[in-house]
Amino acid sequence: MYLTTDEERILEGEEGETLRKAMEILVALGDIYGADCLIPIKSAQIAGVSYKTIGDAGLEWISDLKGHVKVPSVLNPAGMDMIRWNEMGISRDFAKKQKQIVEAYGRLGINTMCTCTPYYLKGFSVGYGDHLAWSESSAVSYANSVIGARTNREGGPSALSAALVGKTANYGYHLDEKRIPNIGIRVECNLKGADYGALGYVAGKISGNMVPIFSLTSNPTNDELKSLGAAMAASGAVALYHVENVTPEARKMKYDFPEEVVVIERADIEEVYATVGGSDGNSECDVAAAGCPHCSPKELESIAQMIKGKTVDKEFWVFTSREVATKYPDLVETIEKSGAKVLCDTCMIVSPAANNFHHMAVNSGKAYSYIPGMCRINSTLCDLEHCIKKVVSDDN
Amino acid sequence: MIIKGRKISRGIAEGKVLLSKDPISFLGNVDPESGKIIDPNHMLYGKSISGKVLVFPYGKGSTVGSYVIYQLSKNKVAPAAMINLDSEPIVAVGAIISEIPLVDRLEKNPYSLLKDEDIIKVNGNLGLIEIEDK
């Protein structure tokens, strides 16, 4: 890989040990993937935040680093709401370790907002063609597909290295030729809301790590595209997809529909709704959750409208970023009046809170896919209205 | 004898060879406290990788494996050096943050060239290994 004189100097350790290692990581990954050079990035989003996933091993590494990020950088969700962790049934020990992790990242100049939807945050606006180093799989998919920016799915240490250096290696989805669709998915029914999560769950399994292009009969909103991409990155490893006449790159590049075409029908979508994820198919839902990925202001508004005046008698969690929750206190208040909780900085998958339950109803294909493995409980996918019905008492 | 390969992580170290034909998932396969392989289904089950020149095809499993390599090194039970057929990001990143020399893609097949307990030197700065001539 070609390095500039400046990059060589960093690699030789002239700007300190942390930057030297960061550069060594970028160069090693670049060599492994055949990159020709490093390219500047606009922002970074760093995975490896939840104590549940990185443990003491990760905490030790992050705590030992010294330096300051060169581009706006933000964190992936943590294992708990950083303020209301106690209400989530999180242990004091877990909370202590989780705070140490987030503080260690903060010392490196990283915005300690923990979210899988950095594209809603101030200072993280992303445009068509921008190069990024993002980690969280749904954020990567949204940036690449819905916005038309360019990022690989970075691991925690590589995203952090890119943030510290301000560059990433030029390979994979940074290159034009890797963004051309190579599998066509034709959907022959109209879709709405959670249908897109179900579609993503099915399409992800078919696509693996390919680049699908969809032909749809309905016109999805950005929130619905978010749900589609998140599910495909969970059931498969899809980091970029296109939708004919909808997503910006498909509109601009007018890609040919690939020869390999898969057709998805209503029955495929219904099968996902009807299948309980996990081992105990007969158990009843005892908790419901929305906000995987973190709710947009519009999604918060829909939940508020639907739950207004109702009372929940089971746990109902709504996950969003702290910035969005702070910006819309009225919506949060309306939702919480029902007894539901609006939680920030975390989600049902990366926090250990779900361990205390048996069966979660979700409106997200991604959560549906991950919950049995990550939380060891059952999951059911249904639309938002039915999620709420499952936790609201019968008399209202 | 010098066998050339590709440099992935810098540093120079010497140690006894430990060959694994199985890939390694550092999260789950290895105990970060003792450096022993704790997965009964792994061909190195019960063996210690501490101080060895660990030869394995490539890493697999969770990306947290990179941090486990770091933990092994903090606990002073990490391999002295590693050789892969083809390095992937989990092991590459783990080796770099832990300052463990790592080379891959040797010009000769390490499994026919090396046997357990051979003493060899891994040079991650130049991307080669040195075997003492007998």
Side-chain angles (χ1 to χ4, degrees):
Chain A
M1 187 164 68
Y2 168 80
L3 294 181
T4 65
T5 327
D6 257 2
E7 290 161 359
E8 288 280 4
R9 276 186 44 250
I10 295 172
L11 190 60
E12 293 313 315
E14 290 184 27
E15 294 198 22
E17 198 47 18
T18 294
L19 267 185
R20 184 189 70 72
K21 279 193 194 172
M23 185 58 89
E24 201 182 342
I25 287 174
L26 296 182
V27 170
L29 295 179
D31 284 341
I32 288 173
Y33 291 115
D36 56 349
C37 64
L38 297 177
I39 45 168
I41 52 165
K42 198 174 173 194
S43 62
Q45 188 240 7
I46 297 153
V49 180
S50 172
Y51 181 62
K52 175 176 160 181
T53 50
I54 69 166
D56 291 315
L59 171 58
E60 270 189 67
W61 176 62
I62 299 152
S63 306
D64 288 345
L65 297 174
K66 293 177 185 68
H68 201 279
V69 293
K70 297 242 179 10
V71 293
S73 303
V74 69
L75 296 178
N76 208 32
M80 61 185 202
D81 185 301
M82 296 303 289
I83 296 170
R84 295 170 65 184
W85 52 271
N86 206 11
E87 290 171 54
M88 295 180 73
I90 302 287
S91 76
R92 198 162 287 277
D93 282 349
F94 185 96
K96 192 177 146 197
K97 298 278 193 178
Q98 184 62 72
K99 282 182 191 164
Q100 285 173 359
I101 292 171
V102 171
E103 281 162 15
Y105 277 121
R107 281 196 293 276
L108 299 171
I110 297 161
N111 178 342
T112 55
M113 200 78 73
C114 301
T115 181
C116 49
T117 56
Y119 40 87
Y120 297 143
L121 301 184
K122 214 177 146 200
F124 284 85
S125 67
V126 178
Y128 189 88
D130 285 347
H131 294 279
L132 315 168
W134 286 11
S135 291
E136 197 280 324
S137 66
S138 80
V140 166
S141 173
Y142 194 94
N144 274 328
S145 315
V146 184
I147 302 173
R150 296 180 172 214
T151 176
N152 289 313
R153 184 181 169 189
E154 301 271 0
S158 73
L160 182 52
S161 300
L164 290 163
V165 173
K167 293 175 182 176
T168 193
N170 190 31
Y171 67 91
Y173 297 112
H174 294 288
L175 307 172
D176 290 345
E177 65 266 27
K178 299 282 185 189
R179 301 179 64 89
I180 300 168
N182 46 19
I183 179 169
I185 298 180
R186 212 175 282 286
V187 182
E188 299 190 327
C189 58
N190 286 332
L191 303 173
K192 194 174 142 244
D195 290 346
Y196 283 95
L199 170 64
Y201 181 78
V202 176
K205 288 193 169 182
I206 296 167
S207 306
N209 62 359
M210 295 174 89
V211 179
I213 182 163
F214 288 88
S215 158
L216 299 177
T217 53
S218 33
N219 194 13
T221 64
N222 280 358
D223 284 334
E224 288 168 335
L225 290 173
K226 174 172 79 169
S227 175
L228 171 67
M232 275 196 290
S235 70
V238 175
L240 162 67
Y241 66 92
H242 305 284
V243 181
E244 256 187 347
N245 304 318
V246 175
T247 53
E249 201 166 306
R251 284 204 315 250
K252 184 163 182 231
M253 303 300 292
K254 308 227 180 306
Y255 289 123
D256 292 333
F257 213 72
E259 273 175 29
E260 188 186 347
V261 177
V262 178
V263 175
I264 293 180
E265 297 166 341
R266 188 79 227 170
D268 301 310
I269 306 286
E270 291 301 332
E271 196 187 328
V272 182
Y273 286 129
T275 310
V276 171
S279 54
D280 179 10
N282 294 320
S283 63
E284 283 222 1
C285 291
D286 52 359
V287 56
C292 168
H294 279 168
C295 284
S296 67
K298 254 202 181 134
E299 288 171 311
L300 266 192
E301 200 181 327
S302 314
I303 296 169
Q305 274 170 5
M306 241 178 250
I307 209 163
K308 196 173 183 176
K310 295 192 171 87
T311 308
V312 303
D313 62 358
K314 290 176 189 152
E315 287 281 300
F316 182 42
W317 300 329
V318 176
F319 296 99
T320 188
S321 64
R322 190 161 295 285
E323 190 171 304
V324 167
T326 312
K327 230 170 160 178
Y328 299 91
D330 298 352
L331 297 177
V332 172
E333 200 189 320
T334 305
I335 296 169
E336 295 215 316
K337 247 187 198 158
S338 72
K341 290 187 184 119
V342 177
L343 299 166
C344 304
D345 320 312
T346 186
C347 77
M348 58 289 244
I349 297 163
V350 297
S351 99
N355 299 359
N356 306 330
F357 297 88
H358 298 103
H359 191 157
M360 189 184 291
V362 290
N363 66 340
S364 151
K366 172 176 178 169
Y368 168 74
S369 171
Y370 275 148
I371 279 169
M374 295 278 292
C375 310
R376 308 265 165 214
I377 68 170
N378 295 308
S379 60
T380 289
L381 179 69
C382 48
D383 62 24
L384 182 61
E385 204 181 332
H386 283 88
C387 279
I388 292 175
K389 267 194 186 146
K390 285 184 195 289
V391 291
V392 168
S393 41
D394 290 337
D395 50 342
N396 64 47
Chain B
M1 183 170 40
I2 286 177
I3 316 287
K4 283 189 196 149
R6 184 170 70 162
K7 59 182 176 186
I8 298 288
S9 174
R10 291 180 173 205
I12 300 170
E14 194 176 68
K16 286 183 181 168
V17 167
L18 179 62
L19 293 170
S20 169
K21 290 213 164 162
D22 291 345
I24 297 177
S25 166
F26 279 86
L27 182 72
N29 284 173
V30 186
D31 172 26
E33 301 295 322
S34 66
K36 281 191 177 151
I37 303 284
I38 48 172
D39 178 359
N41 296 318
H42 199 279
M43 70 169 280
L44 295 186
Y45 177 58
K47 293 197 173 153
S48 169
I49 60 171
S50 174
K52 298 283 170 35
V53 174
L54 184 61
V55 183
F56 57 110
Y58 43 82
K60 61 167 189 169
S62 164
T63 52
V64 176
S66 304
Y67 304 127
V68 173
I69 296 174
Y70 189 71
Q71 238 183 347
L72 286 165
S73 135
K74 293 273 278 197
N75 292 333
K76 305 203 186 317
V77 292
M82 298 189 283
I83 299 170
N84 288 156
L85 292 182
D86 246 313
S87 293
E88 46 56 64
I90 304 169
V91 172
V93 167
I96 292 167
I97 64 180
S98 317
E99 300 181 13
I100 299 170
L102 168 63
V103 300
D104 76 345
R105 296 193 185 173
L106 295 178
E107 11 167 66
K108 287 184 184 160
N109 181 353
Y111 294 102
S112 43
L113 190 68
L114 303 171
K115 57 182 195 304
D116 283 349
E117 303 290 311
D118 284 355
I119 295 178
I120 65 164
K121 192 186 265 183
V122 175
N123 187 328
N125 298 342
L126 299 173
L128 53 85
I129 66 168
E130 288 176 45
I131 306 170
E132 232 171 281
D133 295 314
K134 283 167 198 161

